[in-house]
Amino acid sequence: MATPEEKVSFGTRLKQIGQVFAFTAKQDKWFVPLLAAAVLIPIALTVLFVLLGFGWVVIPLGVMLTLLAALIVLNLRSNAAMMNVAEGQPGAAAQIIENMRGDWRVRPAASSTTQFDMVHVVIGRPGVILLGEGQAQRVRSLLGQEKRRLSKVIGNAPMYDYIVGQGEGELSVRKLRTTFLRLPRNLSGKDVNALDKRLAALMARPQMPKGAIPKNMRPSKGQFRQQRPR
């Protein structure tokens, strides 16, 4: 579940940027050349303007432009690298929403099957959003069950549902952020808190995954014998 954002120290922020840099450089072969171009071009232009007689006043502007260009390249390429890694990974949709800015209360795999089909429940200013991942036919069944279960407690709050995937009518992982940010803000912060509490009470008892239980999760026959009354 998302919590209010805490202030991050400057040192922690630098460490996070370093981790993002290393991850992006490993996943994207064009990242380092593009970053180098984003840094060198503003520096070269700044030096040129100084030599042309514009004075040293252009140096602060050149530094700001260099930092801005580097951050833009880092943001765009790191997001693309994360999307490439996330595609096809179970639970990726929930993780992307959890890392988004804003008040998003995420309950990953609120409903699931033993075939790794799952429905994530997200609460935010738009209302209740269901994200299904897995085989489309099974996910649609899970979504229907989850809708009926949640409709008992959400009242008049709007409910949205999406199947995450690459098929026709499905929502690509790459479009998750923009899709969520374009949803209307139907609820106030107070409404979101109240809705979150009602859903927390409903989901206090975890559901067993639907479908056959895998062999490695089944209790042994000896366990059944020990539990029988004598």
Side-chain angles (χ1 to χ4, degrees), residues 101-114:
R101 289 186 177 273
D103 188 11
W104 302 101
R105 323 284 178 92
V106 185
R107 290 177 170 82
S111 181
S112 62
T113 71
T114 54

Side-chain angles (χ1 to χ4, degrees), residues 25-41:
K26 183 179 179 180
Q27 299 293 329
D28 183 358
K29 65 179 182 179
W30 288 104
F31 169 64
V32 174
L34 288 173
L35 185 64
V39 171
L40 293 176
I41 291 174

Side-chain angles (χ1 to χ4, degrees), residues 25-183:
K26 183 179 179 180
Q27 299 293 329
D28 183 358
K29 65 179 182 179
W30 288 104
F31 169 64
V32 174
L34 288 173
L35 185 64
V39 171
L40 293 176
I41 291 174
I43 291 176
L45 290 175
T46 302
V47 173
L48 177 62
F49 282 124
V50 171
L51 294 176
L52 289 176
F54 285 88
W56 299 99
V57 70
V58 299
I59 293 179
L61 180 60
V63 172
M64 292 178 61
L65 288 175
T66 301
L67 291 174
L68 179 61
L71 288 175
I72 289 174
V73 171
L74 176 61
N75 183 56
L76 293 176
R77 304 305 293 189
S78 62
N79 283 336
M82 284 189 286
M83 293 302 104
N84 288 335
V85 173
E87 277 187 327
Q89 295 294 323
Q95 188 174 6
I96 289 171
I97 303 303
E98 285 178 328
N99 292 325
M100 280 179 55
R101 289 186 177 273
D103 188 11
W104 302 101
R105 323 284 178 92
V106 185
R107 290 177 170 82
S111 181
S112 62
T113 71
T114 54
Q115 291 86 13
F116 298 104
D117 309 300
M118 58 192 74
V119 172
H120 315 296
V121 177
V122 183
I123 307 170
R125 295 291 294 275
V128 179
I129 308 163
L130 305 181
L131 291 176
E133 290 189 82
Q135 200 276 330
Q137 186 174 355
R138 294 193 298 263
V139 169
R140 288 191 185 94
S141 176
L142 277 180
L143 284 171
Q145 296 171 18
E146 201 64 22
K147 284 181 183 179
R148 290 190 292 271
R149 186 165 76 112
L150 298 182
S151 63
K152 301 174 183 177
V153 296
I154 68 171
N156 295 324
M159 184 184 296
Y160 305 86
D161 64 273
Y162 303 96
I163 296 178
V164 179
Q166 299 297 319
E168 184 178 354
E170 298 177 351
L171 178 63
S172 169
V173 168
R174 298 176 184 272
K175 296 181 179 179
L176 267 179
R177 294 176 185 269
T178 54
T179 300
F180 269 58
L181 294 175
R182 287 175 182 171
L183 291 174

